[in-house]
Amino acid sequence: MQGKRSATINAYSRALRRIPHQLDKSPDTLTTDDLKRYFTQRIKTHSWRYREN
């Protein structure tokens, strides 16, 4: 886990589970185009602000 905090690992894990769920596809069938579409939509619909710890 490369020294990451458990909160970071949990956040990454949730994000990785969310992608195939949102696209209604199995993780092993996701394509580069699927990921581009997912992240393009996320950028349009979510705020991406920097937050200091």
Side-chain angles (χ1 to χ4, degrees):
M1 301 293 170
Q2 301 176 351
K4 302 284 190 275
R5 294 183 330 151
S6 62
T8 301
I9 294 167
N10 289 337
Y12 288 170
S13 296
R14 281 191 311 275
L16 290 175
R17 287 190 302 270
R18 187 180 302 128
I19 295 170
H21 176 75
Q22 289 287 324
L23 297 176
D24 196 28
K25 294 183 96 175
S26 174
D28 59 339
T29 64
L30 293 174
T31 65
T32 302
D33 286 338
D34 291 331
L35 296 174
K36 286 179 182 177
R37 183 168 38 107
Y38 173 80
F39 287 111
T40 298
Q41 187 62 31
R42 293 289 293 184
I43 289 168
K44 289 179 183 177
T45 60
H46 290 74
S47 173
W48 295 85
R49 63 181 173 150
Y50 177 74
R51 181 174 55 150
E52 287 191 39
N53 293 332

